[in-house]
Amino acid sequence: MREQIEVIVAEDNIVQRAYMCRLIESIGFTSLKLIEAEDGQAALELLKTTRAEILITDYEMPFLNGVELTRATRSLDLDHYVHIILVTGTETDGYDVRADALNAGADDFLAKQHDQSALKARLKTAMRLIRHGKELEEQHRVLKEANDRINEDLAAAAHAQRDLLPDINTNILGADIASAFVPSSVVSGDMFGCFPLNDSQIGFYAVDVSGHGIRASLLSVAIGYLITPEFFTKSVLDDDGTPRPARLVRELNQRFCTDAHDDYFTMFCGVMDTQRVKLFYCQAGYPSPYYVDARGHVTPIGDGGFPVGMFSGVDYEDGNIDVDLDGMLLCCSDGAFEAENDEGVPFGEQRIEAIVKEIYHEPADKIPGKIIQALADWRGLEPLEDDLTVVAVKRNKL
Amino acid sequence: MIHSTQTDGGITVVRPGVERLTAINSKAFKDEVVALIDAGSSELIIDFTSTTFLDSSGLGALAGVLKKIGHRGELAVCGLGSEVMQMFKICRMDKVFSIYPDEAAAIRALSEKS
């Protein structure tokens, strides 16, 4: 059964009102339920307390005339639309009530002569529009429900992804490791990990899957699950314990190279070796991290390397640098360098280096937040276009 | 989106037609260049003079085009701005792509090869 549509008939003259109601009833629309209002003010009250969707109002009424009632109705905060038909014919000569009423928000007009077929046509129009509105409303509800479900799923996925990452602040073998992880959408194509390999070596990696959003996040999470500390140790450490991170990258490249798609990832991985007092690394297209020594001297690490999963058979190189135990290692994903201000100027390496020089003496846990803040200031209202990861590694002062 | 012309020597010069080749348009870019290859173009030059920014998806699309051509043809790029060049270097793309300063130099080099 079709839902009833409530119709308010506003007319101060009781005879005219009764006549209008009989006329509507005689048309025989069973889905209409009539509600009588003895003037404009009463009609306005009824609009607030009923679900009326059609208002047929006379123009000439005490307190509120038809145009004033129309205007007042439009300013009500109702959760449904009211189709307003103004009955005209009694107004003074020369006054263009229709223009005034249209401006106030009236939808249709009916001449006072009470022509049944004209009334029927107008009611049919009103009912058609109301039904159409209800269909749209229903579609909107279904879409919103689907959208809510997708958002819930995404939030759960983001949570699962976050759980794969190390704690924002963690301490491994006397080094403070602080990170910030900012997806450009809910989930991220960035991933990183760090863990002790034994009592003198810390292994770490940072990965940035090409593209961003859900597709990139699927691969980044797969990588996150794959590179366990055991997997890392087995791939990277030589028999004598010398780190060879390029072996891990070669292995991943072999595993992820396929002609089926253009997805790939960039990576930087390495081992901080506290006995050899060196950082061993392999760079695979990931932006060069910075090493900052105790005097604040900033050095970009590495001179490039092929991304992983792009070309099979390409080789990767091991590199190493001497580190000062009071130095800091800082990794930023390309989202940091590429963040643009409102004039389209990217933040760039020089600005990152300048900030690093300013803040390197701060404790590790302050560093990522300061870089994220500098990037936010730079972007202003521009949204983050790519996922952003910042990781700072620094020996904690005793 | 792309704009392509052919030289008398049968070399196809492609201009991406966008200032930024990113996740938004890189698939269309690749599909259109691959269509040129499928239609018989085997010597291609991609001119980035008017493209100032390439993100990781753009680079992936470009690598996809290179793999598509494989050994059956030649692919050269030219007109790389400093930011794009920097990205090429960090990803070692300068080792897999033939890079020329401009279209004329690229056309000359490809003509000599064939």
Side-chain angles (χ1 to χ4, degrees):
Chain A
M1 195 192 97
R2 272 188 170 153
E3 212 183 314
Q4 276 214 317
I5 298 174
E6 295 182 336
V7 185
I8 293 176
V9 178
E11 162 72 75
D12 57 316
N13 182 312
I14 187 166
V15 178
Q16 294 277 355
R17 190 167 73 234
Y19 182 67
M20 173 63 89
C21 290
R22 294 302 86 71
L23 202 62
I24 295 170
E25 278 165 2
S26 70
I27 294 170
F29 289 138
T30 51
S31 57
L32 296 183
K33 184 187 168 202
L34 297 177
I35 303 169
E36 298 184 31
E38 67 270 19
D39 57 41
Q41 191 61 53
L44 192 61
E45 289 310 313
L46 283 166
L47 282 165
K48 293 181 204 165
T49 53
T50 63
R51 296 273 318 159
E53 288 167 287
I54 301 176
L55 168 64
I56 301 175
T57 174
D58 188 27
Y59 170 68
E60 191 94 50
M61 287 186 297
F63 310 119
L64 277 178
N65 70 26
V67 173
E68 289 162 346
L69 172 59
T70 299
R71 200 170 286 121
T73 305
R74 292 295 176 235
S75 61
L76 287 178
D77 185 24
L78 299 175
D79 61 358
H80 59 273
Y81 188 74
V82 180
H83 187 92
I84 302 177
I85 302 170
L86 188 73
V87 181
T88 60
T90 55
E91 60 280 359
T92 27
D93 287 341
Y95 166 56
D96 189 357
V97 67
R98 294 194 169 210
D100 209 10
L102 282 173
N103 273 329
D107 296 290
D108 212 340
F109 300 96
L110 188 65
K112 194 91 184 183
Q113 289 76 32
H114 294 157
D115 168 1
Q116 198 198 32
S117 62
L119 176 63
K120 187 176 175 182
R122 275 160 181 79
L123 284 171
K124 269 178 105 167
T125 303
M127 287 156 74
R128 190 176 66 236
L129 290 172
I130 288 166
R131 287 209 186 91
H132 179 64
K134 282 187 177 150
E135 276 165 25
L136 283 181
E137 211 174 277
E138 176 61 11
Q139 282 172 8
H140 176 80
R141 191 190 62 76
V142 171
L143 281 178
K144 189 179 174 305
E145 225 174 75
N147 189 52
D148 287 349
R149 210 164 38 237
I150 292 169
N151 281 336
E152 274 171 34
D153 273 356
L154 265 180
H159 192 76
Q161 183 172 34
R162 193 73 196 70
D163 278 351
L164 262 180
L165 300 171
D167 288 338
I168 296 170
N169 288 301
T170 179
N171 183 284
I172 302 174
L173 305 181
D176 286 330
I177 298 164
S179 56
F181 184 77
V182 190
S184 60
S185 55
V186 187
V187 287
S188 169
D190 284 2
M191 181 55 63
F192 74 98
C194 55
F195 23 71
L197 305 181
N198 44 53
D199 56 12
S200 67
Q201 292 175 317
I202 303 169
F204 68 92
Y205 71 88
V207 157
D208 180 355
V209 177
S210 64
H212 42 81
I214 297 176
R215 185 182 171 126
S217 78
L218 288 174
L219 182 51
S220 74
V221 168
I223 296 164
Y225 275 110
L226 177 66
I227 309 179
T228 56
E230 297 71 34
F231 183 83
F232 189 101
T233 309
K234 202 164 150 276
S235 310
V236 170
L237 292 190
D238 236 350
D239 293 339
D240 68 351
T242 309
R244 307 216 182 272
R247 290 205 307 218
L248 169 69
V249 182
R250 275 181 216 119
E251 194 171 335
L252 293 173
N253 190 49
Q254 215 163 16
R255 194 182 280 248
F256 287 101
C257 254
T258 155
D259 286 337
H261 53 72
D262 293 339
D263 297 340
Y264 65 91
F265 54 93
T266 63
M267 179 171 191
F268 190 94
C269 63
V271 173
M272 192 75 102
D273 193 317
T274 58
Q275 251 167 27
R276 292 175 176 87
V277 206
K278 270 180 188 296
L279 169 71
F280 296 82
Y281 64 86
C282 176
Q283 184 181 24
Y286 200 89
S288 291
Y290 295 104
Y291 171 69
V292 194
D293 69 17
R295 294 175 309 284
H297 185 71
V298 181
T299 317
I301 305 169
D303 60 356
F306 290 103
V308 185
M310 191 183 260
F311 298 111
S312 60
V314 292
D315 202 22
Y316 296 92
E317 298 146 27
D318 279 312
N320 69 74
I321 56 164
D322 292 329
V323 292
D324 176 339
L325 283 181
D326 289 323
M328 174 177 80
L329 177 70
L330 181 76
C331 287
C332 299
S333 63
D334 59 4
F337 302 93
E338 290 170 6
E340 292 181 353
N341 67 4
D342 56 2
E343 284 164 12
V345 181
F347 196 70
E349 287 168 43
Q350 280 160 6
R351 286 187 192 86
I352 296 259
E353 280 189 42
I355 294 186
V356 173
K357 276 185 186 149
E358 247 174 67
I359 61 174
Y360 78 96
H361 52 82
E362 304 238 10
D365 62 344
K366 298 277 183 266
I367 305 275
K370 294 213 165 186
I371 290 173
I372 299 286
Q373 186 57 49
L375 289 170
D377 293 344
W378 179 254
R379 288 200 319 273
L381 297 173
E382 297 295 310
L384 195 59
E385 273 193 53
D386 195 3
D387 307 318
L388 181 59
T389 300
V390 180
V391 184
V393 183
K394 203 174 182 182
R395 197 176 70 144
N396 50 346
K397 297 258 164 63
L398 297 170
Chain B
M1 63 184 269
I2 65 167
H3 180 258
S4 66
T5 51
Q6 202 146 50
T7 67
D8 295 340
I11 297 169
T12 307
V13 179
V14 175
R15 298 191 185 90
V18 287
E19 220 186 295
R20 302 166 60 85
L21 191 61
T22 65
I24 297 163
N25 49 28
S26 57
K27 190 179 178 304
F29 166 78
K30 187 192 163 189
D31 290 349
E32 289 179 33
V33 180
V34 164
L36 289 177
I37 298 167
D38 287 339
S41 294
S42 62
E43 289 180 301
L44 279 93
I45 296 167
I46 301 177
D47 182 355
F48 285 102
T49 307
S50 306
T51 304
T52 53
F53 177 76
L54 204 71
D55 78 352
S56 56
S57 304
L59 190 67
L62 200 56
V65 170
L66 183 68
K67 284 192 263 186
K68 173 77 187 175
I69 289 196
H71 299 298
R72 290 165 298 171
E74 287 285 341
L75 176 66
V77 294
C78 67
L80 306 186
S82 61
E83 275 175 56
V84 177
M85 195 62 204
Q86 175 63 22
M87 184 193 200
F88 265 56
K89 279 193 176 142
I90 213 85
C91 292
R92 294 274 162 93
M93 292 299 112
D94 51 340
K95 300 274 190 281
V96 290
F97 285 96
S98 308
I99 303 173
Y100 300 95
D102 52 36
E103 250 176 55
I107 291 171
R108 220 165 27 242
L110 256 61
S111 305
E112 281 165 15
K113 274 193 191 177
S114 56

